[in-house]
């Protein structure tokens, strides 16, 4: 995967001249078009895993997602001839900028047909929105922060995504770089094929190491989830604190994510 960054420009190109209209999502109908666009983009992609619409609706709802308790975001929809051809979520996280001493805004939930004018118009709109909020640079694709799906898939299109992994067509790289975005960091995921049955051999070794280190491995306690969520929170923040692009999740975000993953 790949994350990208570029200076935010306050001079949006004239998308109307290219037959593309970009506007913020305001009505229920526009929100429906925003949420359903991926089905059009991935109609012929056998590896795409459709999201749960109810979960996606809650993810972008300022009244339901805890990101909006400290951050702000705007949903944009691109239309050509009245038909949706692209979408994007611009977001501003003051906690990230305070943590890293930066002045960044982000774009995420990017989906677009192979339409360079539409992609550029969407990114122009995101850059303009962030500029108005005082931000001087934009990075993405990042859905709010690196605690959520982030990165651009540039290899591995023949494998399906796992939970909270991005997936996109190969032409997205061309669309985003065509606007002026550049690679900031390589992100990796790993696909294991255990033909030699290494896992079984290592399982016994892991058990011996756990006994030697007085480590106990147990299932998550569904009868007392609050205590285990608190423990996971401490480990997560300690383990990821110095990683690139990391910002600690708020307690509300952790609780919200735990409720989502509980369904899985």
């Amino acid at each position: 995967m790949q994350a990208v960054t570029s200076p935010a420009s306050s001079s949006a190109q004239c998308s109307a001249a290219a037959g593309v209209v970009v506007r913020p999502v305001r009505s229920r109908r526009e929100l429906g078009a925003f949420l359903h666009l991926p089905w059009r983009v991935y109609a012929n992609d056998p590896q795409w895993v459709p999201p749960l619409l109810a979960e996606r609706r809650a993810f972008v709802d300022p009244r339901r997602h805890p990101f909006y308790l400290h951050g702000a975001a705007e949903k944009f929809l691109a239309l050509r001839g009245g038909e949706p051809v692209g979408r994007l979520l611009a977001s501003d996280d003051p906690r990230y900028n305070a943590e890293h001493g930066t002045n960044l805004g982000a774009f995420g939930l990017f989906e677009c047909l192979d339409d360079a004018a539409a992609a550029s118009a969407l990114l122009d709109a995101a850059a303009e929105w962030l500029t108005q909020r005082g931000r001087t640079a934009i990075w993405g694709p990042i859905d709010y922060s690196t605690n959520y799906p982030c990165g651009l898939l540039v290899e591995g299109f023949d494998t399906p995504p796992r939970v909270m992994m991005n997936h996109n067509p190969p032409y997205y790289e061309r669309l985003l770089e065509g606007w002026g975005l550049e690679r900031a960091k390589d992100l990796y995921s790993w696909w294991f094929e255990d033909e030699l049955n290494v896992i079984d051999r290592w399982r016994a070794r892991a058990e011996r190491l756990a006994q030697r280190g007085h480590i106990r491995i147990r299932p998550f306690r569904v009868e007392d989830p609050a205590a285990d969520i608190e423990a996971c929170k401490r480990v997560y923040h300690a383990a990821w604190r110095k990683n690139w692009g990391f910002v600690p999740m708020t307690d509300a975000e952790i609780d919200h994510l735990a409720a989502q993953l509980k369904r899985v």
Side-chain angles (χ1 to χ4, degrees), residues 22 24-25 34 60 62 67-68 71-77 87-93 104-110 122-131 133 135 137-145:
V22 173
V25 172
F34 183 94
V60 298
F67 170 81
Y68 293 89
E74 183 73 272
K75 299 179 286 291
F76 291 98
L77 191 63
R87 75 173 196 188
L88 175 149
L89 178 78
S91 62
D92 180 16
D93 186 357
L104 282 169
F107 75 92
L109 294 181
F110 176 80
L122 284 166
L123 290 161
D124 283 343
E128 179 65 24
W129 184 80
L130 289 166
T131 298
R133 296 183 60 85
R135 301 305 178 200
I138 185 171
W139 69 335
I142 295 175
D143 299 353
Y144 297 139
S145 76

Side-chain angles (χ1 to χ4, degrees), residues 146-165:
T146 56
N147 296 300
Y148 303 99
C150 64
L152 180 71
L153 188 68
V154 296
E155 293 180 10
F157 300 102
D158 57 338
T159 56
R162 294 313 193 200
V163 175
M164 295 186 70
M165 284 178 59

